[in-house]
Amino acid sequence: MLDTILCIDDDPITIMLCKMVITKASFSNKVITASNGEEALRYFNTLKSLTDDNKSTTYPQLIFLDLNMPVMGGWEFLDCFNTEDYSDFNASKVIILSSTIDPEDLEKSKKYPMVIDFLSKPVSKEMLEYIKTKFNITS
């Protein structure tokens, strides 16, 4: 089981479903949410100010990221998150969750080292089982 997951999506229903499925599947102890990339970066900036002891236990091991959001979309978030400013969080892995799987988006996602998969919405129990198996996450 993961300690913390961050879901970045502007749709409150998607966020609610994500939290519900993750909780029911006992996939993570805690689900943190952000409604856009800018809000997520503010969260990481807050974590950067914590002591090193607190940081290791609180930052998300996995991020579910939507691409199309107002204020700051998924691609802009990845551009920022992929910089030296956020290198403290290199262990955080990203799974892009999109309502469309455009082959160009899939190709583009491969240039970001933290992106480990590109899946279609919504999050489901089967998807979490797939992630557990593929990425060796133990319950």
Side-chain angles (χ1 to χ4, degrees), residues 19-37:
K19 287 172 98 171
M20 189 178 74
V21 172
I22 289 167
T23 302
K24 280 192 171 194
S26 299
F27 189 73
S28 177
N29 291 322
K30 184 169 30 170
V31 180
I32 297 164
T33 62
S35 59
N36 59 61

Side-chain angles (χ1 to χ4, degrees), residues 86-103:
Y86 296 94
S87 62
D88 288 358
F89 309 106
N90 280 348
S92 291
K93 300 301 176 197
V94 176
I95 293 179
I96 294 174
L97 285 181
S98 186
S99 46
T100 61
I101 296 190
D102 181 338

Side-chain angles (χ1 to χ4, degrees), residues 27 95 116-117 125-139:
F27 189 73
I95 293 179
I116 58 171
D117 215 328
K125 190 172 184 215
E126 293 76 23
M127 179 188 289
L128 296 179
E129 286 302 319
Y130 160 80
I131 292 167
K132 274 184 187 179
T133 304
K134 184 173 179 183
F135 302 108
N136 223 5
I137 298 169
T138 55
S139 296

